[in-house]
mmCIF file of all heavy atoms in Angstrom:
data_model
loop_
_atom_site.group_PDB
_atom_site.id
_atom_site.type_symbol
_atom_site.label_atom_id
_atom_site.label_comp_id
_atom_site.label_asym_id
_atom_site.label_seq_id
_atom_site.Cartn_x
_atom_site.Cartn_y
_atom_site.Cartn_z
ATOM 1 N N ALA A 597 60.806 93.772 78.394
ATOM 2 C CA ALA A 597 60.872 93.386 79.806
ATOM 3 C C ALA A 597 62.165 92.639 80.122
ATOM 4 O O ALA A 597 62.685 92.726 81.231
ATOM 5 C CB ALA A 597 59.676 92.509 80.160
ATOM 6 N N THR A 598 62.682 91.895 79.116
ATOM 7 C CA THR A 598 63.885 91.102 79.364
ATOM 8 C C THR A 598 65.079 91.984 79.681
ATOM 9 O O THR A 598 66.061 91.505 80.242
ATOM 10 C CB THR A 598 64.217 90.248 78.135
ATOM 11 O OG1 THR A 598 64.038 91.049 76.991
ATOM 12 C CG2 THR A 598 63.352 89.019 78.084
ATOM 13 N N TRP A 599 65.040 93.236 79.275
ATOM 14 C CA TRP A 599 66.212 94.087 79.460
ATOM 15 C C TRP A 599 66.162 94.907 80.742
ATOM 16 O O TRP A 599 67.095 95.628 81.040
ATOM 17 C CB TRP A 599 66.390 95.027 78.267
ATOM 18 C CG TRP A 599 67.002 94.297 77.125
ATOM 19 C CD1 TRP A 599 66.376 93.730 76.065
ATOM 20 C CD2 TRP A 599 68.396 94.018 76.959
ATOM 21 N NE1 TRP A 599 67.284 93.108 75.239
ATOM 22 C CE2 TRP A 599 68.537 93.276 75.769
ATOM 23 C CE3 TRP A 599 69.548 94.307 77.708
ATOM 24 C CZ2 TRP A 599 69.761 92.829 75.305
ATOM 25 C CZ3 TRP A 599 70.766 93.868 77.245
ATOM 26 C CH2 TRP A 599 70.870 93.128 76.053
ATOM 27 N N THR A 600 65.066 94.806 81.496
ATOM 28 C CA THR A 600 64.959 95.678 82.665
ATOM 29 C C THR A 600 66.060 95.408 83.682
ATOM 30 O O THR A 600 66.568 96.322 84.312
ATOM 31 C CB THR A 600 63.588 95.517 83.357
ATOM 32 O OG1 THR A 600 63.298 94.140 83.398
ATOM 33 C CG2 THR A 600 62.509 96.285 82.643
ATOM 34 N N TRP A 601 66.443 94.128 83.811
ATOM 35 C CA TRP A 601 67.507 93.822 84.785
ATOM 36 C C TRP A 601 68.787 94.559 84.426
ATOM 37 O O TRP A 601 69.505 95.030 85.281
ATOM 38 C CB TRP A 601 67.751 92.316 84.862
ATOM 39 C CG TRP A 601 68.294 91.726 83.586
ATOM 40 C CD1 TRP A 601 67.578 91.225 82.546
ATOM 41 C CD2 TRP A 601 69.661 91.617 83.202
ATOM 42 N NE1 TRP A 601 68.406 90.809 81.550
ATOM 43 C CE2 TRP A 601 69.705 91.040 81.919
ATOM 44 C CE3 TRP A 601 70.872 91.957 83.823
ATOM 45 C CZ2 TRP A 601 70.882 90.790 81.236
ATOM 46 C CZ3 TRP A 601 72.049 91.706 83.133
ATOM 47 C CH2 TRP A 601 72.051 91.126 81.860
ATOM 48 N N PHE A 602 69.039 94.672 83.101
ATOM 49 C CA PHE A 602 70.253 95.352 82.653
ATOM 50 C C PHE A 602 70.154 96.848 82.932
ATOM 51 O O PHE A 602 71.093 97.464 83.416
ATOM 52 C CB PHE A 602 70.448 95.089 81.158
ATOM 53 C CG PHE A 602 71.765 95.597 80.629
ATOM 54 C CD1 PHE A 602 72.948 94.957 80.968
ATOM 55 C CD2 PHE A 602 71.820 96.699 79.803
ATOM 56 C CE1 PHE A 602 74.162 95.412 80.496
ATOM 57 C CE2 PHE A 602 73.036 97.158 79.325
ATOM 58 C CZ PHE A 602 74.202 96.511 79.672
ATOM 59 N N HIS A 603 68.983 97.417 82.667
ATOM 60 C CA HIS A 603 68.822 98.850 82.910
ATOM 61 C C HIS A 603 68.916 99.167 84.396
ATOM 62 O O HIS A 603 69.433 100.201 84.781
ATOM 63 C CB HIS A 603 67.486 99.341 82.346
ATOM 64 C CG HIS A 603 67.446 99.305 80.852
ATOM 65 N ND1 HIS A 603 68.381 99.947 80.076
ATOM 66 C CD2 HIS A 603 66.611 98.690 79.982
ATOM 67 C CE1 HIS A 603 68.129 99.727 78.794
ATOM 68 N NE2 HIS A 603 67.059 98.958 78.713
ATOM 69 N N ARG A 604 68.394 98.232 85.223
ATOM 70 C CA ARG A 604 68.441 98.486 86.662
ATOM 71 C C ARG A 604 69.869 98.455 87.185
ATOM 72 O O ARG A 604 70.187 99.086 88.187
ATOM 73 C CB ARG A 604 67.566 97.483 87.405
ATOM 74 C CG ARG A 604 66.128 97.995 87.516
ATOM 75 C CD ARG A 604 65.155 96.900 87.715
ATOM 76 N NE ARG A 604 65.221 96.368 89.078
ATOM 77 C CZ ARG A 604 64.578 95.256 89.443
ATOM 78 N NH1 ARG A 604 63.872 94.575 88.548
ATOM 79 N NH2 ARG A 604 64.641 94.828 90.663
ATOM 80 N N LEU A 605 70.748 97.722 86.473
ATOM 81 C CA LEU A 605 72.151 97.711 86.879
ATOM 82 C C LEU A 605 72.782 99.095 86.739
ATOM 83 O O LEU A 605 73.813 99.386 87.321
ATOM 84 C CB LEU A 605 72.944 96.722 86.023
ATOM 85 C CG LEU A 605 72.833 95.261 86.388
ATOM 86 C CD1 LEU A 605 73.726 94.446 85.472
ATOM 87 C CD2 LEU A 605 73.247 95.043 87.821
ATOM 88 N N GLY A 606 72.163 99.948 85.928
ATOM 89 C CA GLY A 606 72.701 101.282 85.738
ATOM 90 C C GLY A 606 72.303 102.240 86.834
ATOM 91 O O GLY A 606 72.748 103.380 86.854
#
Side-chain angles (χ1 to χ4, degrees):
Chain A
T598 43
W599 281 97
T600 43
W601 65 270
F602 187 72
H603 292 304
R604 272 157 74 190
L605 280 182

